Amino acid sequence: MSINRREFLKKSSVIAGVTIMPKYLSAMASKQSPPKKKPNILMIAVDDMNNWVGVMENKAKTPNIDALAKSGMLFNNAYCVAPACNPSRTSLLTGLRPETTNLYTNKPDFRDQPGGKDIVTLPQYLREF
């Protein structure tokens, strides 16, 4: 599968918010070859956790999430493009808004929508490294 990196970046404002290491983003934007070393990316997407983790000074005991947050990056404000899981997760993994994917509820698969088979997801893009 051939992926146009510049087009992917234009569509991936949501993905950029997830914080992929800057050197990978700059390599993608300038059409440089990927770094020889494979990216080391850990993405945890939990859409119903809220702010109940211990690192946010709440009562839940979450020592592993707390340690990860202290050694990495913690986002205190979170936003999503849709109040339903399917369109929100699809946006996160494609960089496309529900108006583009035509997903507004949890029922359809984005691949079954018009043009859905041609959409490149973040895992597909990262597979190219």
Side-chain angles (χ1 to χ4, degrees):
M1 169 188 320
S2 177
I3 298 170
N4 181 326
R5 294 169 192 241
R6 191 170 301 282
E7 282 301 311
F8 184 83
L9 274 182
K10 283 182 193 173
K11 296 187 234 175
S12 63
S13 60
V14 173
I15 294 168
V18 174
T19 306
I20 298 174
M21 296 175 149
K23 69 179 178 181
Y24 297 109
L25 286 175
S26 65
M28 287 165 44
S30 63
K31 294 188 176 183
Q32 295 174 358
S33 13
K36 293 183 194 265
K37 186 177 178 185
K38 290 190 174 206
N40 183 11
I41 298 170
L42 171 64
M43 179 176 158
I44 300 174
V46 183
D47 61 357
D48 58 357
M49 186 166 59
N50 207 323
N51 65 343
W52 301 330
V53 294
V55 72
M56 294 181 143
E57 300 179 8
N58 284 293
K59 295 179 183 179
K61 294 180 181 178
T62 55
N64 294 326
I65 294 289
D66 298 351
L68 184 62
K70 287 178 183 171
S71 69
M73 182 175 279
L74 175 67
F75 294 95
N76 291 317
N77 296 310
Y79 304 92
C80 65
V81 298
C85 298
N86 188 26
S88 185
R89 291 174 185 161
T90 299
S91 290
L92 180 68
L93 293 175
T94 65
L96 301 173
R97 297 182 53 82
E99 298 83 29
T100 304
T101 61
N102 202 28
L103 290 180
Y104 299 96
T105 64
N106 288 332
K107 291 290 181 193
D109 182 331
F110 78 95
R111 295 283 185 209
D112 296 334
Q113 301 296 83
K117 299 211 182 324
D118 298 324
I119 294 174
V120 177
T121 64
L122 179 61
Q124 288 174 305
Y125 178 79
L126 292 174
R127 197 177 304 137
E128 295 291 317
F129 283 93

